Amino acid sequence: MVDPIRPRASLRTAVVWEVLREALERQAKAGGRDAGEPLDVLDTGGGTGNFAVPVARLGHRVTVVDPSPDALFALERRAAEAGVTDRVRGVQGDTHGLLDVVEPGSQDVVLCHGVLEYVDDPAEGVGNAVGALRPAGTLSLLAAGRGGAVLARAIAGHFAEAQHAIGDPDGRWGAGDSLPRRFTAEQLTRLVSDAGLRVGAVHGVRVFADLVPGVLVDTEPGALEALLKLELAAAEQPAFHSIATQLHVLADRG
């Protein structure tokens, strides 16, 4: 379950990956495809391929749209190292012009991870991602959680910043905040519903991982595996969504 080479990275992505892998399996079966027939997956803002390459290793065709040439170059190198160059395609672009570089209605699954925090119009971003989906397609949406930032600033002793994040319309804790925007679970599900999709599940991501001292996880025998199991258990509990560092929404057309 834990990647022995990049254990901390695995901890940060484990919940999303488990949900996504199951969604890919369901999507393949629901489409009435022959055994082993690949899905068409779009990863908008996919950068260097943190999700795209593992998805390609499952046998699917992945198109990554990202505005950074450097990220796309790193994606190409990563895909080559994983032996999936023939299943990963990088395209320079962004969510605003997504349907100019990807054919509308052409994708079985669209990943929109870490994108809505930065776009000028989140509703447009979600709408374009949905526009790329086939009628029975699935959307995987991941964005920063507002409550997680409040908790993190408070635990770090930055109480004024934590209070500022509570009242700020975009969930920012101050001028030095590197993220332009954070969301509540209600805001994300509303964006998805307004775009015409049915919300299938909401998960809290990195509920505890960013709060536990790294030295404890790295040195205490069994701590990493135990923390990962705790994250997976808490992810589906609505009570923990409000303090998660990130929120993941899985949706389809219903």
Side-chain angles (χ1 to χ4, degrees):
M1 186 177 293
V2 177
D3 184 339
I5 300 175
R6 304 171 64 232
R8 295 289 288 180
S10 296
L11 182 61
R12 291 171 179 269
T13 61
V15 169
V16 180
W17 177 243
E18 288 297 317
V19 174
L20 180 59
R21 183 167 53 187
E22 292 175 2
L24 290 167
E25 291 176 357
R26 288 196 303 271
Q27 188 68 36
K29 293 177 181 177
R33 297 166 179 267
D34 295 333
E37 185 177 351
L39 297 171
D40 290 307
V41 179
L42 170 64
D43 189 354
T44 178
T48 61
N50 284 340
F51 283 94
V53 170
V55 169
R57 291 181 67 180
L58 293 177
H60 304 300
R61 295 182 293 261
V62 187
T63 298
V64 175
V65 176
D66 196 278
S68 169
D70 291 339
L72 293 176
F73 178 77
L75 167 70
E76 184 178 351
R77 184 173 63 247
R78 192 178 211 168
E81 292 172 351
V84 294
T85 301
D86 60 329
R87 293 196 293 274
V88 176
R89 179 172 71 104
V91 179
Q92 190 170 1
D94 57 26
T95 308
H96 175 69
L98 184 63
L99 300 180
D100 294 328
V101 296
V102 176
E103 183 180 353
S106 63
Q107 304 297 312
D108 297 297
V109 178
V110 173
L111 315 185
C112 186
H113 295 173
V115 172
L116 297 189
E117 296 92 328
Y118 300 98
V119 298
D120 293 332
D121 186 345
E124 179 194 46
V126 174
N128 287 342
V130 172
L133 282 173
R134 289 185 171 128
T138 296
L139 173 68
S140 174
L141 181 65
L142 180 69
R146 176 189 292 259
V150 174
L151 183 61
R153 300 316 289 174
I155 289 178
H158 303 299
F159 306 124
E161 292 177 350
Q163 182 176 349
H164 186 279
I166 291 176
D168 187 82
D170 293 318
R172 304 184 73 230
W173 48 258
D177 195 335
S178 61
L179 278 187
R181 188 184 297 110
R182 292 183 178 85
F183 300 87
T184 63
E186 291 76 14
Q187 288 173 323
L188 287 179
T189 55
R190 189 182 310 120
L191 283 169
V192 169
S193 297
D194 288 349
L197 296 188
R198 176 188 65 89
V199 175
V202 179
H203 295 87
V205 179
R206 288 157 56 189
V207 175
F208 307 107
D210 293 345
L211 305 176
V212 176
V215 64
L216 171 65
V217 177
D218 294 337
T219 61
E220 185 72 19
L224 179 62
E225 186 71 29
L227 180 54
L228 177 55
K229 290 180 179 178
L230 176 61
E231 287 283 346
L232 292 170
E236 297 183 0
Q237 302 295 323
F240 293 106
H241 294 170
S242 61
I243 61 170
T245 299
Q246 293 178 309
L247 295 164
H248 181 246
V249 177
L250 197 68
D252 55 38
R253 294 191 186 276

